[in-house]
Amino acid sequence: MAKRIDTTIPPFTEPPLRAMFARFTALVGALVQLTSAERDLGGYRGQDPALAAFTGAVDAARARALTHCAVILAGETEDEMAYGLQTAAKMVRTVLTTQTPTEVAMIRNILAMRHETVLFGLYRAGLPRYNALLDTAFDALAAHIVLPGTGGDVIEHDEKAGKPSSARVAHTGMSRCFTGLLGAMDRFIRADQMLQRPVAGDVRARPFGFAMQRSEAALTAMLDALHEVMAAELNRCEDRALWEMGYALFSLIEQADDDARLFLFDTLMDYRPQFMVPGTHAVARQTRQLQDRFFGLVAEMMQLEDFSGPGPDGDGACGPALAA
């Protein structure tokens, strides 16, 4: 599901946008300097005074990069390009500041998959300068991530494209994570359904409070399972297909607008055949079973009131479906 990008160039005449482009370019430079400084340091964490220059260079480059991120994120987001640059800056900030390896691994996979999935929405047709700047930043961020202690290697997929998958291994880390996600989705759907009429009962009663707690816990567990899918290693083409579906669910959940969520859901269902992995071998058949189950669960989830659906009682998004 690779992108096709046009090559016409509109002028960048808005002063705020020019300033953000300049600041973002400086951010990329600071990130490259940080990566170089950390590579020179070589992962050393001792107290040898002779290495003070190297540790100082790392600290200074990190501070510059984070300062650029802060300025970029404080700017206006009305323009689509400004939004894209800010999103990229958030990714840089997360990698430089998070203490959670899963977050870094998620971003690593997004960077590796950004040209293979149409769900990655930051690139813009007809804006090659903007797209090239994003690519430069993403390449620099990927180079930083592969340093020791920052989240692991970014796997190159180009050389694997078109090669048949091995049917000797039934599961990978990704397929195990995805199977766990399917179970978590099912448990969340069943728990959330209990909060809607006619099954919820009196919202003041203790059983409803317990049901609310179970639903919140199930939602948290589902999001944790989803993050594991998005952070799992991408070792074969089936892994990349499952990752893309996890990214689709992540995108659905992230949508704040009901109409936008419904539009994305309809688009995903229309393109369902393009998500399915090809092949007749055992791995492909097993992966398609997981994919079929995933789409069925997403359809059930979209029936929940919280996801713009009619709910179990069928009152619709604007009706009194929620007991609360």
Side-chain angles (χ1 to χ4, degrees):
M1 303 181 72
K3 296 179 178 59
R4 294 174 177 81
I5 298 174
D6 198 354
T7 56
T8 56
I9 305 177
F12 297 98
T13 57
E14 295 296 327
L17 189 57
R18 287 205 306 269
M20 185 171 288
F21 262 70
R23 176 68 67 168
F24 193 83
T25 302
L27 168 60
V28 175
L31 182 59
V32 171
Q33 291 173 356
L34 173 61
T35 303
S36 177
E38 290 193 342
R39 189 177 292 116
D40 289 339
L41 188 59
Y44 184 79
R45 294 294 181 267
Q47 301 298 321
D48 188 341
L51 292 174
F54 293 104
T55 57
V58 169
D59 293 340
R62 182 183 297 274
R64 283 195 298 272
L66 291 175
T67 298
H68 291 317
C69 286
V71 175
I72 291 170
L73 294 175
E76 297 293 333
T77 59
E78 296 179 359
D79 186 273
E80 286 187 344
M81 287 185 288
Y83 170 79
L85 297 179
Q86 288 181 322
T87 301
K90 287 180 182 178
M91 295 168 70
V92 173
R93 184 182 64 181
T94 297
V95 170
L96 297 186
T97 61
T98 186
Q99 300 298 314
T100 307
T102 299
E103 288 188 303
V104 179
M106 288 169 59
I107 292 175
R108 176 203 66 199
N109 285 351
I110 291 173
L111 297 178
M113 289 289 293
R114 68 185 190 270
H115 289 298
E116 297 188 34
T117 173
V118 295
L119 298 172
F120 187 78
L122 296 188
Y123 292 111
R124 292 289 178 264
L127 299 175
R129 177 185 168 192
Y130 160 78
N131 294 330
L133 183 58
L134 280 184
D135 266 334
T136 302
F138 292 146
D139 289 342
L141 185 57
H144 180 79
I145 288 175
V146 301
L147 292 174
T150 55
D153 296 338
V154 175
I155 298 173
E156 297 294 340
H157 302 297
D158 293 342
E159 61 187 26
K160 296 186 178 183
K163 292 186 178 181
S165 299
S166 171
R168 293 175 294 178
V169 181
H171 270 292
T172 63
M174 171 63 80
S175 62
R176 288 191 178 92
C177 289
F178 198 85
T179 301
L181 172 61
L182 297 181
M185 291 172 67
D186 184 77
R187 289 188 290 273
F188 165 67
I189 292 169
R190 307 311 157 208
D192 203 70
Q193 285 174 339
M194 299 305 295
L195 300 179
Q196 303 179 55
R197 288 175 179 155
V199 296
D202 187 354
V203 298
R204 297 167 297 182
R206 182 174 296 179
F208 181 82
F210 291 152
M212 180 70 78
Q213 292 176 6
R214 286 193 295 269
S215 178
E216 292 176 350
L219 175 60
T220 299
M222 184 185 72
L223 294 176
D224 289 343
L226 176 58
H227 293 164
E228 289 183 7
V229 167
M230 295 183 63
E233 293 287 347
L234 307 175
N235 293 321
R236 60 187 184 188
C237 64
E238 289 83 7
D239 294 343
R240 300 197 297 277
L242 294 179
W243 182 91
E244 188 168 18
M245 295 174 73
Y247 191 46
L249 177 60
F250 179 82
S251 301
L252 276 175
I253 294 174
E254 286 289 296
Q255 293 295 329
D257 181 73
D258 288 345
D259 291 335
R261 184 183 296 111
L262 289 170
F263 176 79
L264 178 56
F265 170 70
D266 290 338
T267 302
L268 292 174
M269 298 307 288
D270 288 341
Y271 282 89
R272 176 174 175 171
Q274 280 70 43
F275 282 92
M276 307 304 286
V277 299
T280 59
H281 51 77
V283 171
R285 294 197 304 271
Q286 183 183 53
T287 302
R288 284 196 294 271
Q289 290 177 357
L290 297 177
Q291 292 178 300
D292 284 333
R293 180 62 176 147
F294 172 85
F295 279 112
L297 288 169
V298 170
E300 287 189 68
M301 187 178 298
M302 290 298 293
Q303 292 296 308
L304 298 174
E305 180 73 12
D306 287 342
F307 287 82
S308 314
D313 56 357
D315 282 344
C318 298
L322 282 176

